[in-house]
Amino acid sequence: MPKTLLFASAILVASTAALAEPTYVVADRMLDVESGKYIANPVIGMDDGKIVSVSTGAAPDGAEVIDLTGHTILPGLIDMHVHLDGRPEYGGYSGLQFTDRFWTFLAAANADKMLKVGFTTVRNVGDTDYNVAGLDQAIEEGWLQGPRIVNANYALGATGGHCDETFLPPSFNRKSPAVGDSPEELRKRVREQRKYGAEVIKACATGGVFSRNTAPGIQQLNLEELTAIAEETHFWGLKAAAHAHGAAGIKAAILAGFDTIEHASFIDDEGIRLAKERGTFLSMDIFNTEYTLSEGEKNGVLKENLDKERLVSKAQRDNFSKAHKAGVKMVFGSDAGVMPHESVPGQFAVMVRLGMTPLEAIRAATINAADALGQKGQVGTIAVGAWADIIAVDGDVLANVRELEDVDAVVKGGKLVE
Ligand SMILES: [Zn+2]
């Protein structure tokens, strides 16, 4: 580098340093999710929303400090499967009592709740009316408080399938704008959803629990259609998520090249082998069953849907253990919206009960999730260059993962969440 240029850049560095004073997080210890080890007296420097230094000891004299002394810090959590514009309290037909915009405001309330319980990033895999794209923009612009959102907009699917409108008679003439019934139609749906802000594409490969007249075990998009969706999604540089309960639909989605399989309830040995071989992530919502079965009827959930939940949940939990044991990559996905958003941290304990170590469960919601989002090094880690998203808990999360059910402080983008 010529001397003059070197001199000029030195001045530039000096002047930005003078303008930007890092803020520091200090705590008793930090869980390094990569190594699985605790680090004592961490000092995390943050500037302009990002982490700029990670050291130990004490913050520089006179620096602005977020003092989390007495606490253990770890990266902000990531939930890979949420529906921010829904609430379980409005099951079955009860949601029809509200005007369309009701759900937009509900999404804002849910985003706030998820952030406060420690989720600084969520992947929203299916909404209506582009509620979540608007919410995402309002949060990014600073009008509302909420997690970072990786948003799918409408989920793609077959006419009459799980992700179509399945609750209304023909005279209401209502269908999802994201249905398609051929590879070409579905390629166009990918482009449309991306056009209006989708950052991930979700498609419904099989029937599901909370739709009408769909069977979770039955495939609803064929291999050619799924391949067209995955190809088109990757062509545009996005990741593809497949809702799939039944074994055939799961395998077809993996073969088609989807990056994550949502639910994966009836995955068979062949599906587990394929997922492992292809590096496909499973996102299994193994916590919401008890909520649905105890509160569903009161919330207006139809008998048909409660019956399907009973059918799916036991197999899903057994297969979670099996897939994890086989070494398939797993991420944390709750299906919040089917259960209250604020109760999502309860899933960690179920993951541990079904065979994960606490560290594995935490990795599913941090580094593994970041990897599945294509955002490794940006979220799910406390490292230089990552977003300054940090949570604080009491006690030892590696001994008792339920400590994550009581997060004491949340820092998002370098700012303490009120
Ligand atoms: Zn879902």
Side-chain angles (χ1 to χ4, degrees), residues 9-10 27 51 74 86 107 111 122 231 234-235 247 260-261 263 269-271 288 343-344 359 365 393 407:
S9 64
I51 295 172
L74 58 157
V122 300
E231 264 183 23
H234 293 150
F235 180 72
T260 65
I261 304 296
H263 311 297
D269 291 345
E270 176 73 359
N288 50 53
S343 64
V344 159
L359 181 64
V393 296
V407 169

Side-chain angles (χ1 to χ4, degrees), residues 81 83 125 202 263 335:
H81 190 128
H83 303 282
V125 282
K202 155 98 174 280
H263 311 297
D335 216 354

Side-chain angles (χ1 to χ4, degrees), residues 125-127 130 152-165 176-194 198 200-206 220-221 225-226 228-230 232-233 238 240-244 258:
V125 282
D127 73 345
Y130 303 96
N153 283 336
Y154 280 92
L156 278 60
T159 294
H162 176 63
C163 288
D164 196 4
E165 293 281 347
S176 163
V179 295
D181 296 298
S182 69
E184 285 315 295
E185 281 186 10
L186 288 157
R187 278 184 194 274
K188 195 166 180 193
R189 297 296 100 81
V190 171
R191 295 179 180 195
E192 287 165 352
Q193 292 310 309
R194 196 207 63 86
V200 57
I201 296 295
K202 155 98 174 280
C204 290
T206 73
Q220 296 185 335
L221 291 171
E225 291 168 325
L226 290 166
I229 294 167
E232 194 65 32
T233 300
L238 305 181
H243 159 107
F258 276 78

Side-chain angles (χ1 to χ4, degrees), residues 271-283:
I272 287 174
R273 192 185 63 72
L274 280 173
K276 204 179 164 191
E277 190 181 288
R278 309 251 167 159
T280 314
F281 289 88
L282 302 185
S283 165

